[in-house]
Amino acid sequence: MKNTMIINNHTAIIVFDPELEMFRGEFVNLNGSADFYASSVQELHREGEVSLNTFLEVCKEQGIEPYKHYSGKFVTRISPDLHERITILAAAEGVSLNQWVQKSLEHEAMDETNYLLHNRNNAQRLLGSISQLEAGKSQ
């Protein structure tokens, strides 16, 4: 993944702060903020470990669950046009809209190498589905 770093089995998002001329890291999937700054990759690892350990210690002391829990449900807003298009694509593949969206998100979440290979195959299948839909509309 781009702009991520794994520190003690925890994922942090890394960005460059041009005002400070330093890298900033922030752990994701925590029930609070644990961020850190550094000038190099080595320092990011070291400062990230300190930040994460401090966060986890404070959570333990205060009896706070440190990790976010996910229900597997979320709401997203999209344009009516996109809603219509993906409903048609899902129907063309013979799956529910929910299944189609889940499959699409899984593809986006794959590592980059697998994503690129998989995306080529999906594009070919999608073009075939669109061609079938357009042929059906012209009849």
Side-chain angles (χ1 to χ4, degrees), residues 86 89-90 93 95-105:
I86 64 176
L89 291 170
E93 290 187 25
V95 298
S96 71
L97 180 57
N98 190 64
Q99 290 169 318
W100 191 90
V101 169
Q102 179 177 343
K103 184 179 77 168
S104 297
L105 292 173

Side-chain angles (χ1 to χ4, degrees), residues 42-110:
Q42 262 185 334
E43 289 177 30
L44 278 169
H45 278 282
R46 186 174 53 249
E47 294 299 320
E49 284 183 19
V50 170
S51 177
L52 180 62
N53 289 337
T54 301
F55 177 82
L56 294 173
E57 286 173 19
V58 169
C59 286
K60 186 176 181 179
E61 288 170 6
Q62 297 183 4
I64 298 170
E65 169 58 41
Y67 303 105
K68 289 183 180 178
H69 295 280
Y70 297 94
S71 68
K73 298 176 187 178
F74 70 96
V75 176
T76 185
R77 288 173 178 72
I78 58 175
S79 71
D81 180 59
L82 178 58
H83 191 171
E84 178 183 14
R85 287 185 286 146
I86 64 176
T87 299
I88 292 168
L89 291 170
E93 290 187 25
V95 298
S96 71
L97 180 57
N98 190 64
Q99 290 169 318
W100 191 90
V101 169
Q102 179 177 343
K103 184 179 77 168
S104 297
L105 292 173
E106 287 171 350
H107 288 278
E108 285 296 316
M110 286 192 300

Side-chain angles (χ1 to χ4, degrees), residues 7-73:
I7 300 172
N8 294 347
N9 295 319
H10 292 77
T11 303
I13 305 299
I14 309 298
V15 296
F16 183 73
D17 186 329
E19 289 180 21
L20 297 175
E21 294 186 356
M22 295 181 82
F23 294 102
R24 177 182 183 272
E26 182 172 12
F27 288 99
V28 294
N29 300 330
L30 299 178
N31 271 333
S33 181
D35 62 347
F36 51 99
Y37 290 84
S39 298
S40 69
V41 173
Q42 262 185 334
E43 289 177 30
L44 278 169
H45 278 282
R46 186 174 53 249
E47 294 299 320
E49 284 183 19
V50 170
S51 177
L52 180 62
N53 289 337
T54 301
F55 177 82
L56 294 173
E57 286 173 19
V58 169
C59 286
K60 186 176 181 179
E61 288 170 6
Q62 297 183 4
I64 298 170
E65 169 58 41
Y67 303 105
K68 289 183 180 178
H69 295 280
Y70 297 94
S71 68
K73 298 176 187 178

Side-chain angles (χ1 to χ4, degrees), residues 5 7 23 33 48 59 81 118 121-122 133 137:
M5 179 178 276
I7 300 172
F23 294 102
S33 181
C59 286
D81 180 59
H118 214 65
N121 295 336
N122 282 343
L133 288 171
K137 284 183 178 179

